[in-house]
């Protein structure tokens, strides 16, 4: 199915000189000065994918919408992008029944990402803050492995300061019947605590392997004896 793409001048931030001056090594912090690109399949394959209101600077897209801004990627069933009089953009992304809107952005640290999902995402381009609203979960990934995870009803992430705020409990589940706010944190990679945790995990794995080898080692075979009780010659 052909996708509809939107890259109008109106959706480019008016900070080209700052973008050119930003070092490439800044990673996702340079995303703030990148243009917003929006693509969509259409309204579930039925009719127009949305509308572009140039007078009011509003863009509404429906159907497998993908929004990119540098390394930042938002995927949703529906998204609304608005431009304020001072040229900054806000975006509200909505998931579909049974499928959350998702967010992913690279950190300044090599091979680390922030990834999250919620029923609704609210992005503020001026403050570079994204809000994960309703049944939210946000993770810090090292490669494909989860290092830290926060869940709650509302999680706010400031990508400039890399500070998270979480409010409200998550919906009750079998593993979290009280619907409490939860966070799982691991030591910073390369720190003394991380190295000690790695050594401890390796030692525990080695001990388990040794126990398993002993448990499954074949038992010594008793010598065969003749019916008279004497060992065969």
């Amino acid at each position: 199915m052909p996708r509809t793409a939107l890259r109008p001048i109106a959706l480019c931030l008016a900070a080209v000189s700052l973008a050119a001056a930003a070092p490439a090594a800044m990673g996702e912090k340079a995303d703030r000065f990148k243009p917003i690109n929006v693509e969509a399949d259409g309204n579930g394959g039925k009719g127009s994918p949305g509308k572009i209101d140039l007078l009011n600077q509003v863009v509404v897209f429906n159907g497998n919408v993908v929004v990119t801004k540098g390394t930042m990627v938002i995927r949703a069933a529906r998204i609304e992008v608005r431009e304020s009089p001072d040229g900054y953009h806000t975006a509200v992304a909505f998931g579909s029944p049974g499928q959350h809107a998702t967010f992913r952005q690279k950190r300044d640290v090599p091979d680390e990402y922030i990834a999250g999902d919620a029923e609704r995402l609210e992005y503020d381009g001026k403050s570079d803050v994204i809000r994960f609203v309703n049944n939210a979960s946000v993770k810090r990934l090292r490669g494909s492995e989860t290092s830290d995870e926060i869940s709650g009803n509302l999680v706010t992430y400031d990508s400039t300061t890399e500070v998270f705020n979480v409010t409200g409990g998550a919906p009750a589940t079998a593993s979290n019947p009280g619907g409490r706010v939860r966070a799982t944190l691991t030591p910073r990679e390369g720190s003394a605590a991380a190295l000690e945790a790695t050594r401890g995990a390796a030692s525990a794995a080695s001990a388990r392997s040794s126990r398993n080898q002993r448990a499954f080692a074949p038992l010594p075979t008793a010598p065969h004896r003749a019916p008279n009780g004497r060992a065969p010659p």
Side-chain angles (χ1 to χ4, degrees):
M1 179 183 298
R3 295 179 64 81
T4 301
L6 174 66
R7 296 180 177 86
I9 295 176
L11 284 181
C12 296
L13 293 177
V16 177
S17 59
L18 291 177
M26 289 184 69
E28 89 287 348
K29 285 186 172 59
D31 292 348
R32 184 174 183 178
F33 308 114
K34 300 291 180 64
I36 290 180
N37 299 318
V38 185
E39 294 184 355
D41 285 341
N43 190 10
K46 302 176 182 179
S48 171
K51 68 177 182 179
I52 302 172
D53 185 341
L54 295 179
L55 180 61
N56 296 306
Q57 293 296 290
V58 178
V59 177
V60 179
F61 267 21
N62 301 281
N64 191 23
V65 186
V66 180
V67 179
T68 59
K69 191 171 188 290
T71 68
M72 183 185 77
V73 180
I74 295 176
R75 298 179 183 274
R78 171 186 171 88
I79 192 160
E80 300 174 2
V81 181
R82 299 175 183 271
E83 183 176 338
S84 63
D86 54 1
Y88 291 99
H89 296 95
T90 61
V92 181
F94 301 89
S96 58
Q99 185 171 356
H100 283 177
T102 65
F103 168 91
R104 183 180 175 95
Q105 185 177 38
K106 191 179 184 307
R107 295 187 67 223
D108 285 341
V109 181
D111 202 29
E112 285 201 6
Y113 299 84
I114 298 298
D117 64 88
E119 294 177 11
R120 186 174 79 250
L121 307 180
E122 300 174 354
Y123 172 72
D124 186 334
K126 185 173 184 177
S127 61
D128 215 16
V129 168
I130 184 161
R131 289 158 47 93
F132 300 81
V133 184
N134 294 335
N135 197 15
S137 174
V138 184
K139 303 176 182 179
R140 179 168 66 93
L141 304 176
R142 291 177 184 158
S144 58
E145 296 185 359
T146 300
S147 295
D148 305 324
E149 183 174 6
I150 300 174
S151 60
N153 191 54
L154 170 63
V155 178
T156 303
Y157 171 58
D158 186 327
S159 63
T160 302
T161 61
E162 295 195 324
V163 172
F164 291 91
N165 288 288
V166 57
T167 58
T173 62
S175 60
N176 186 15
R180 296 169 62 84
V181 171
R182 286 190 167 182
T184 302
L185 308 175
T186 61
R188 186 177 65 254
E189 188 173 13
S191 65
L195 294 175
E196 184 176 356
T198 301
R199 288 195 297 267
S203 176
S206 177
R208 286 194 300 270
S209 177
S210 297
R211 288 196 298 270
N212 290 339
Q213 289 177 0
R214 290 196 299 269
F216 292 101
L219 297 174
T221 303
H224 176 71
R225 293 185 176 276
N228 59 6
R230 296 180 180 179

